Every structure is written in C-alpha cells, then in structure tokens.
Amino acid sequence: MADVRILAIESSCDETAAAVVENGRKVLSNIISSQIDIHTLYGGVVPEIASRKHTERINFVVREALDTAGLSIQDVDAVAVTYGPGLVGALLVGVSFAKGLAFASGKPLIGVHHIEGHICANFLDHPELEPPFPCLVVSGGHTNLVRVKDYGVIEVLGQTKDDAAGEAFDKVARAIGLGYPGGPKIDKISDEGDPLAIEFPKGKVRDSVYDFSFSGLKSAVLNYLNSCEMAGKEINRADVAASFQRSVVEVLTEHAFEALEESGDKVFALAGGVASNRHLREAFEKGCKDRGISFYRPEPVYCTDNAAMIGAAAYYQYLKGERSPMSLNAVPGLAFGNNK
Ligand code: KG4
Ligand code: ZN
C-alpha cells in the first residue's frame, strides 16, 4: 500500500500544534506553539485568551508543519483535527481551520478524540507496539486506566472520581507558590525534597479497585500548609512536593499493576502530560522490569499536547474508512471509551 501522510491539527487547550505523520508511526514534522508564557501571568489557562492566540497562530503553525515535512497540502492524504474534549473556543479554532483546509483542498477530514490521541502517542517511533495493551492516561483533564482492545476500541477500567492527576499537580504547585504549569515544577523541585517527609493520603476510592480520587490528597496538602502556617512552622516546599508526588506515583502504579496482574498482559503503556514526570516513568520502568512487562511511554514531547499524536490516531481511523462530515463540530465534553 502507498504511504499515507496525514496533516494533523491540535488546539484543544493552550498549545497550537500541527504535524505531518506517515503511516501513523513516523513523524515528518511536529510544530508546537505554546501559550504557557501568557497563561502563566494569570496562574492558569484563560479560555478567551487561548482561543484568540490559536486564531493568531494556527495559519503559521500549519504552514510550518507542511514546510518542515517538505510537502504541500496536495501531498497529504487527509486532514485530521482534535474535536474534543477540551475548551470549546480553543477546539473551534482547529476544527474550523481543518474544515476549511479539507474543503478547499478536496482532502478527507478526520475528527480525532484528544485522549485517543494521547494513547496513540505511544505508536510514534514504536513500530512494534500493537493492541491489545493496557494504558494509563494521566493528563491535566483526565486520569483513565484503560485497555486498548484494538485500534480505536478502548475499554475504560477505572477513572478519577474528581480531580485529574495533572490538575492535582497544578493545584498543589499553586498552593506552594510554584506557579503554572505545576507538574514540571513539582517534578523538578522534588529532587531537592524528601518523599518520605510527610505522609499524605493516597488517591484511592474505597471498593472501587481501578478508580482514583485526588481531591482528598489535594485537601490534605492544603490542610498541612494551613496548619504549618498557624503553628508558625516553616514550610519546606521541596518536601511537600516530593511527598505529594510520591503519593500520586504510588496510587497510579499500584492500580496499573493490579490491572496488569488480573489481565496477565505483558505490555503496558503510559500516556498524557503527566507521563513526562520522571518519577512516574522511573517507578513504572522499575515495576515493569521486575515483572517482565514491556513498558512503553512516549518521548516527553509527545506526552504533553501535540499534533503528532492526533496524526497517529487519525491513521487508524483512515484505514477503517472513517471520515468526518463538513458539519463536524467541537464537542467540549466528548465521551471517552467504548464500554458505556
Ligand atoms: O496532556 P496535557 O498536555 O494536557 C491535557 O490534555 O490535559 O497535560 C497537561 C498536564 C498539566 O496538568 C501539567 O501540569 C502536567 O500535565 N504535567 C506534568 C509534567 N509535565 C506536564 N505533571 C507532572 N510532572 C511533569 N513533568
Ligand atoms: Zn492533552
């Protein structure tokens, strides 16, 4: 079969991104224009500003993705775009742009689910990885333990009942004055802290083996900070960060290994922004090695939001003949998984 090249666009949150991916696995270009600098001023993503910045940048980002790949729009086989979940105004910029481009060039349009994209980031540069495999998706908006039964066929085994793992990182970072985005900052400062300094609760849900709950952990950190303040005790931010992170890493790894034990799978994949956390990666690397399980995780640049992962997911939809109509709309609360 001839090579299939897909131009993919991602604008669901605060990165304007475009990429060209060949046969779902090979990245020909991956352009990411991050808005972090602007949102940092406000301590988090401001939806209105995100939409505006996407509008300003999308044209250049898509052009650069094609130029870097050495292709014109006529050379690609399809235009793919994230259509949910995410911020509605941000999603709409990518969806509208992709629709215009597909219509004008006569190329098929493929709408992609953002979380499926995160999972498919594992296919990039890993030609041997194929379903079925369990995967833990940990991002700013989602925490899902899933089983990828086939391409695009996902069974959700467990999920968070409240905050997502990344959201907990961001909120705790804000509480200890590290700023936005919190995940990478906690990752870094925790090197200087003692992960055993403070005993925080784990994000478990009683009687629900694979589900998570991070709001109790977040509250425990806030309570700890308040009680220190009231007692006039100095707060060691590195210790708080390292102890909080240990608690998150422990519950994520425990749940994943319980699921692996039950299914007997010998392959496991990690995905989403939090998957770039070094401590989480190391814990899974070691745990998988000890159990003889092959461990996959995307390169850090493919863990956080990017369009290459959207191009990977779109390829398997393309092969199945899935095409989106020109009426494709942004769906901010797009459902996830096939077991509903
Ligand atoms: O996947 P992503 O880029 O966007 C969503 O789809 O949500 O994930 C962003 C999240 C943020 O909460 C950010 O703090 C977190 O991923 N994150 C990290 C790290 N890098 C990004 N969390 C922990 N450690 C990191 N190194
Ligand atoms: Zn994401």
Side-chain angles (χ1 to χ4, degrees), residues 60-83:
F60 301 100
V61 169
V62 170
R63 181 167 294 273
E64 203 179 330
L66 285 169
D67 286 351
T68 307
L71 301 173
S72 82
I73 186 67
Q74 287 314 325
D75 301 320
V76 306
D77 297 278
V79 178
V81 65
T82 305
Y83 74 106

Side-chain angles (χ1 to χ4, degrees), residues 197-266:
I198 311 152
E199 195 57 47
F200 289 129
K202 281 191 206 165
K204 287 213 172 200
V205 178
R206 199 176 301 182
D207 302 332
S208 184
V209 201
Y210 300 133
D211 285 335
F212 306 93
S213 165
F214 292 106
S215 72
L217 169 59
K218 175 195 67 190
S219 302
V221 175
L222 296 179
N223 287 342
Y224 173 83
L225 296 174
N226 282 338
S227 60
C228 285
E229 204 168 295
M230 275 159 56
K233 217 172 108 191
E234 204 182 316
I235 294 159
N236 183 326
R237 297 197 303 174
D239 280 352
V240 175
S243 302
F244 157 78
Q245 184 174 254
R246 172 175 66 94
S247 185
V248 176
V249 169
E250 275 179 13
V251 74
L252 292 176
T253 46
E254 277 172 21
H255 280 19
F257 287 124
E258 276 165 30
L260 278 158
E261 204 157 291
E262 187 163 320
S263 68
D265 283 291
K266 285 292 167 202

Side-chain angles (χ1 to χ4, degrees), residues 114 118 139-141 166-167 169-170 182-184 187 272-274 276-277 303-305:
H114 182 76
H118 271 301
S139 72
E167 199 179 346
F169 268 94
D170 294 336
D187 195 348
V274 184
S276 59
N277 182 277
C303 285
T304 40
D305 288 348

Side-chain angles (χ1 to χ4, degrees), residues 49-172:
I49 296 176
S51 316
R52 188 179 291 250
K53 289 293 157 194
H54 284 311
T55 310
E56 283 172 16
R57 295 174 178 180
I58 195 156
N59 202 8
F60 301 100
V61 169
V62 170
R63 181 167 294 273
E64 203 179 330
L66 285 169
D67 286 351
T68 307
L71 301 173
S72 82
I73 186 67
Q74 287 314 325
D75 301 320
V76 306
D77 297 278
V79 178
V81 65
T82 305
Y83 74 106
L87 301 170
V88 67
L91 286 165
L92 267 173
V93 177
V95 169
S96 312
F97 193 92
K99 287 195 323 194
L101 197 58
F103 183 72
S105 61
K107 301 292 174 182
L109 176 72
I110 302 175
V112 176
H113 192 293
H114 182 76
I115 305 301
E116 286 194 36
H118 271 301
I119 295 170
C120 293
N122 278 289
F123 296 139
L124 301 169
D125 301 331
H126 295 139
E128 70 287 4
L129 178 63
E130 285 185 29
F133 58 87
C135 180
L136 176 68
V137 193
V138 271
S139 72
H142 290 79
T143 304
N144 288 105
L145 184 58
V146 306
R147 191 171 157 74
V148 182
K149 293 173 148 179
D150 200 347
Y151 293 107
V153 184
I154 292 159
E155 181 190 2
V156 178
L157 305 173
Q159 57 204 327
T160 182
K161 294 289 179 199
D162 38 61
D163 292 353
E167 199 179 346
F169 268 94
D170 294 336
K171 286 177 177 168
V172 167

